[in-house]
Amino acid sequence: MTEYIYCTQCGAKNAATNNFCTACGQSLVSSSVHHDQETRQTQAPNTSFIDNTTKQLNRWTGEDKSVSLNVASMFGGIFDHHTQQDAEEIFIAGTFKTTPSLAEVSDAPVRPWLFSRILMLFVVVIGLFLSALMFFQGEKTYPGLVFISSCAIPFSLLILFFEINVFKNISIYVTMKVFLLGGAFSLLTTLFLYSIVGASNFSIVEAILIGLVEETGKLIIVIYYVEHYNLSHIFNGMLIGAAVGAGFAAFENAGYAQDYGISVLLIRSICSLGTHTLWCAILGAALVIVKRDHHFDSSMLVDPHFINFFIFVVTLHAVWDMNLPLTSVKVTGLIVMAWIAILVLINAGLREVGELQRGKVKIPKSEL
């Protein structure tokens, strides 16, 4: 289709390829440049939603630029061949003898894969338990089915965050301890907060209150572990947050099975792809961004770099609990938003590795 420009002298319509106006002879070069600029400005918003979103989230990490989300590259390792030895090498990370020095830490893009094998194990076991229950009336398998289904996705996501902790300074033993104790304590803390403020339905106000209470309850436990282990890296905060959130999600899922049955449990387990584990991982990373190698101080919780992420997570949680139309669209959108935030934080974590190695960020005393 032919493009046109208008003469700035007489307003006549000319083909965009013309150098001079056919009506008055005025040069059209400047008009063409102006036309190109207007075209770019008009087209930019059509492709900028993801860029604007990642730029805003990334701004909260301390960098004012958008982030390229190469999901296919990140998860491409899932389809590669891996041996049992490869898996065992991942699990032995984080001990006194296996924690690498800062110089050995890689800032290359992360490619987790072991979590997918763990998830497949859960799926197989769930299938076996369901078969026993449906075809052989094996009622004694029901508690096992509830336990495995509750843990399947939260625990698999936890392994993903264990894999992408490029510092490899937190062992699987510590991770499991935080998963179990942190999950239980965060649930207890949340119940205590509920006993003070109460929450009875899923109206807009109540949904916001639920999000605020539950994210605060988990955050309290994350703060304890981040301070207890003196963690100062974004990937460390993500892992500890994911451990607390995964434990909370698993225990809460099991509770819903008791009240609503196995079908609701399986739906909630699938929805765990974008809920407590990711939300708490975001909070853990945000906490470390403001804490760094200092001891925790309550003033950190009002730092814009943290409070923005906290409001973001509470908003995701609140909208999740609201009775809104188009539930499947809402859930999908919220899961996508949570993952976008995680991918931005992964980018910030890799950026931190490079800055540490180049001396742009102070190295924690524990690593000197």
Side-chain angles (χ1 to χ4, degrees), residues 50 54 67-72 339-341 343-344 347:
I50 295 297
T54 59
V67 176
S68 177
L69 306 180
N70 198 337
V71 178
W339 273 105
I340 288 176
L343 293 173
V344 168
N347 176 77

Side-chain angles (χ1 to χ4, degrees), residues 79 118 150 205 330 344:
F79 306 102
I118 301 296
S150 299
V205 174
K330 179 193 75 171
V344 168

Side-chain angles (χ1 to χ4, degrees), residues 35-81:
H35 169 77
D36 291 342
Q37 290 175 341
E38 288 185 334
T39 300
R40 285 194 295 269
Q41 290 172 357
T42 302
Q43 293 176 344
N46 295 332
T47 58
S48 65
F49 173 76
I50 295 297
D51 285 344
N52 287 340
T53 301
T54 59
K55 184 175 182 179
Q56 182 60 59
L57 291 168
N58 199 29
R59 188 176 292 137
W60 301 342
T61 73
E63 183 182 51
D64 189 17
K65 61 183 293 187
S66 60
V67 176
S68 177
L69 306 180
N70 198 337
V71 178
S73 176
M74 175 175 169
F75 292 107
I78 292 175
F79 306 102
D80 295 341
H81 173 71

Side-chain angles (χ1 to χ4, degrees), residues 87-107:
E88 291 170 349
E89 288 180 357
I90 292 174
F91 278 132
I92 63 174
T95 68
F96 177 77
K97 294 182 178 180
T98 59
T99 298
S101 65
L102 180 60
E104 297 173 303
V105 175
S106 173
D107 62 351

Side-chain angles (χ1 to χ4, degrees), residues 61 154 157-158 160-162 164 215 218-219 222 226 233-248 272-289 306 309-310 312-313 316 338-339 341-346:
T61 73
L157 288 176
L158 176 57
L160 181 149
F161 285 103
F162 182 80
I164 66 175
E215 297 311 320
K218 290 180 290 184
L219 175 61
V222 172
V226 167
H233 302 311
I234 293 174
F235 281 118
N236 296 167
M238 291 178 70
L239 175 55
I240 292 299
V244 173
F248 185 98
S272 297
L273 279 169
T275 57
H276 293 293
T277 308
L278 267 61
W279 296 339
C280 206
I282 294 169
L283 292 182
L287 176 64
V288 171
I289 286 173
F306 174 82
F309 276 113
F310 182 75
F312 174 77
V313 167
L316 292 182
W339 273 105
I342 290 295
L343 293 173
V344 168
L345 287 167
I346 289 174

Side-chain angles (χ1 to χ4, degrees), residues 240-305:
I240 292 299
V244 173
F248 185 98
F251 298 143
E252 186 183 53
N253 286 346
Y256 273 85
Q258 177 183 349
D259 295 335
Y260 302 106
I262 197 66
S263 59
V264 172
L265 170 61
L266 293 175
I267 293 173
R268 282 190 59 86
S269 184
I270 294 172
C271 289
S272 297
L273 279 169
T275 57
H276 293 293
T277 308
L278 267 61
W279 296 339
C280 206
I282 294 169
L283 292 182
L287 176 64
V288 171
I289 286 173
V290 297
K291 175 186 173 293
R292 294 302 182 183
D293 61 334
H294 303 289
H295 287 294
F296 172 76
D297 184 273
S298 59
S299 64
M300 297 174 181
L301 299 181
V302 295
D303 186 300
H305 292 90

